[in-house]
Amino acid sequence: MTLAPECSRNVHMRYPPIDGFWTWDIKRARVYGDANLSAYFDLTLEEFSHGAPLERWMQSIEREDQPRVRLAIRKAIERRSGFREVYKVRSEKMGLRKILAVGQCYVDGMGEAALYPGWFVDLTQDAACEEHSLREIHNHVEQAKEIARSIGHDMLSYLLDNIQEEIQQGLGEKSRRRKSS
């Protein structure tokens, strides 16, 4: 006898090991966290044990990510739902790190948003691996493009050129030339 494949809508996503936890008391605008959270967000463990002001906590998020993170938090509170965002934080102890933060808004007896516990994982190493992989793919596509050109497959060469353009965008590089059809 074999098990049928699981087709449930509630299958848990797999996450890497958790690096830190927090609980945000929404009504008091205070964030409580563990020692890892304090290291990543440049706050002392003392501040987190007494509840750090939310705005103080948000200061460690990179400026370009702050509007997106604020919007995602606001939506999670309005919808009384979950939160899942990838963003960068900077601290004196940890430097610049890319994290995945996951949280959930809970309501009180009146149905008002009250608590927002969550956790985060450090994705910095994964981001470096992703960049390395994209560079490797770029090199392989370059080789394939040269082969396509050498055997006279102009359309294939053109398509491979556009694939390289997509890879460069994934690497955050500016396009060196514009493609035309």
Side-chain angles (χ1 to χ4, degrees):
M1 183 187 293
T2 61
L3 293 173
E6 187 157 338
C7 297
S8 171
R9 293 185 325 163
N10 294 326
V11 175
H12 292 295
M13 295 179 70
R14 303 199 90 201
Y15 292 106
I18 294 171
D19 288 306
F21 295 92
W22 76 82
T23 299
W24 174 29
D25 181 334
I26 297 170
K27 293 180 177 188
R28 292 181 185 88
R30 296 295 214 197
V31 179
Y32 300 86
D34 64 4
N36 286 344
L37 193 69
S38 70
Y40 277 78
F41 285 83
D42 243 356
L43 289 140
T44 66
L45 191 51
E46 180 74 14
E47 286 175 288
F48 272 133
S49 68
H50 290 42
L54 179 64
E55 281 307 312
R56 173 84 171 84
W57 182 54
M58 293 290 291
Q59 289 173 357
S60 294
I61 297 173
E62 283 291 286
R63 190 172 303 278
E64 69 267 7
D65 290 340
Q66 283 185 15
R68 178 175 46 82
V69 171
R70 286 180 192 279
L71 178 63
I73 290 170
R74 190 177 79 234
K75 284 181 179 179
I77 291 170
E78 288 170 359
R79 296 176 184 158
R80 310 314 195 245
S81 65
F83 168 90
R84 183 180 189 277
E85 285 292 319
V86 174
Y87 54 90
K88 293 182 215 98
V89 294
R90 183 179 304 274
S91 73
E92 197 171 301
K93 185 173 184 178
M94 301 301 293
L96 181 63
R97 310 301 291 181
K98 180 179 181 182
I99 66 169
L100 163 66
V102 178
Q104 177 66 44
C105 181
Y106 291 95
V107 298
D108 62 13
M110 305 289 281
E112 295 177 9
L115 291 176
Y116 198 98
W119 51 268
F120 75 95
V121 294
D122 189 330
L123 300 176
T124 307
Q125 195 62 28
D126 293 341
C129 291
E130 178 183 344
E131 182 176 337
H132 176 74
S133 296
L134 283 174
R135 291 193 188 288
E136 286 291 314
I137 292 168
H138 187 275
N139 292 337
H140 289 296
V141 171
E142 180 65 33
Q143 291 172 356
K145 189 170 67 175
E146 288 175 16
I147 293 168
R149 280 190 192 132
S150 72
I151 61 175
H153 283 274
D154 293 335
M155 179 54 90
L156 183 55
S157 175
Y158 168 78
L159 293 172
L160 290 167
D161 203 29
N162 283 300
I163 291 170
Q164 277 189 307
E165 186 77 19
E166 288 294 319
I167 294 167
Q168 288 170 337
Q169 287 178 5
L171 290 168
E173 297 175 1
K174 296 279 186 188
S175 172
R176 285 180 256 158
R177 60 181 181 263
R178 196 79 175 129
K179 307 292 180 267
S180 59
S181 38

